[in-house]
Amino acid sequence: MPVKDKALELRPLFAQLGLLGHTDGSVMFSLGQTAVICGVYGPAEVKPHKERLEGATVEISLRPPSGPTGLQEKAKEAVLKGLVESSILGSLHPRTSVFVSLQPLDMDGGELAAAVNATCLALMDCSISMRCLFASVEVTRTEDGIILLDPSQKQATKAVAKATFVFESVNQDVLASHLEGRWSEKAFQAGLQAALDGSKAIFQFYRETVKRKFSKELMMK
Amino acid sequence: MDAQSSVSEFKGIQPLEYFQQHIENGIRVDGRRSLHDFRPVTISQGTISSADGSAVIKQGNSVFVCGIKLELAPPNPNEQNKGFIVANVDLPPLCHSQFKPGPPSEQAQVASKFVKEVLENSGIVKLEDLNIKEGKLSWVVNVDIMCLNHDGNVLDCALKALLMAFTDLTLPEVTLQEDDEAVVETGGKIVVNNEKRSKLTLHSKPIACSMAIFDEKILVDPTEQEEALAESLVTVVLDANSGDLVHFYKPGGSSISRQKMQECTGLAKKQYKTIAKSIDQAGVVTKMDSKQSK
């Protein structure tokens, strides 16, 4: 049983930037036991039929850990595409493509949140100009109304409803939301507040990760 | 140059500016008087005689048809007391030029997933209700939603068509010969009485309200053109029976503050009451208008 204050804490975060040699930006990100590798190519050459005059074309590819790609992945890709399109400054790179490839390795709750956070870290590693960063957290609600922040699959077994929110870093506004199960208005607001608090820790983690990356690069010179 | 041609030129040359000026004055390009009005909705049920449940819905120029076909199948060994629902949204090339023949477009796949999620979240049909005999026989409910004309707001229309087709759905009585091991495989011992049909119990009434956000303003029930120009799209699904939030779907786009989120939920609440009332009264043909809500 999670203790009350533990319930509103994130699981350990881990990120390793630039682990893939051929991509322009990459990260291995994990949220507790949920792990995902993300690579970004861009701004790169675009296929003529996808070329856009007004900005970069965003393409997302999300593969399941095993088996063929299904509807679930397509739905996640649509959310990620919306997020990347609205957060990068695509108009700086017209007639180019930004390709984000994601490979989840282990699924233990918060898969969408982990994929979103990995995408943001990989875009940062790729040094694409962005108007804001984004961070995502999953919250769940149990039958008796207890809100759990970022639960593992085991902790979430008692959950009757789940929600994933994505916040941006400038005004802490909501960029995307995705619900599973029923939420009363009050519980929804409580869940949103818990997720917002959780996202602050993730933005802090982004800051530390990038600091670590640059301190390493400086030392090598 | 006369006024008529200068307006159409303005619309052709500066579509965004044309659209913006409408919104600034609180009216819609398609003639709606308020940003918060939805388009007139026409529903007809039981239009497909070969289906077990069907509905056609017309919302402005968007036309959707939903057909439900029933099949019998042995239940999943892991869930012996449950039936199946297979829902699919199709956006064929005939509904809009943006869709090409071939595998389902991304938008169609996302809409299918959304409909599935709403079915699960709202618990409208209990899968246990679709079981005929535990471990032996269950109903498979095949739901096909097809767009005939695409003028925006796919999710709202698809969900309304689905709900109306479910209200129209009747299940024939099935009798099963006792103690027969291979009933389903042989199919010989199942007696389906198509004359005696019963309605399926619906446990909730999910109603969607889609909104487009443009210049900090919320446009209810956006048309296809408005969707293309909007900064972000939000779909709020509420259960008209309990008032619970069944879905708050926002796939990226520009960010919205929490205050705006509450405003969206508030608007959806206003809309669903009118729609739910009209759906309850739905006979063969129902017409509703946002004017009735005032």
Side-chain angles (χ1 to χ4, degrees), chain B residues 10 37 39 48 54 69 71 85 103 135-136 139 148 190 203 216 294:
Chain B
F10 178 40
D37 274 358
R39 293 170 285 179
I48 305 171
S54 61
K69 279 293 266 182
E71 264 182 304
I85 300 183
K136 289 273 168 65
W139 283 117
L148 298 182
I190 307 167
H203 298 272
E216 296 288 302
K294 285 162 200 160

Side-chain angles (χ1 to χ4, degrees), chain B residues 72-88:
Chain B
L72 288 165
N76 190 330
N78 297 328
E79 292 166 323
Q80 304 229 347
N81 62 340
K82 287 187 179 173
F84 309 89
I85 300 183
V86 185
N88 195 36

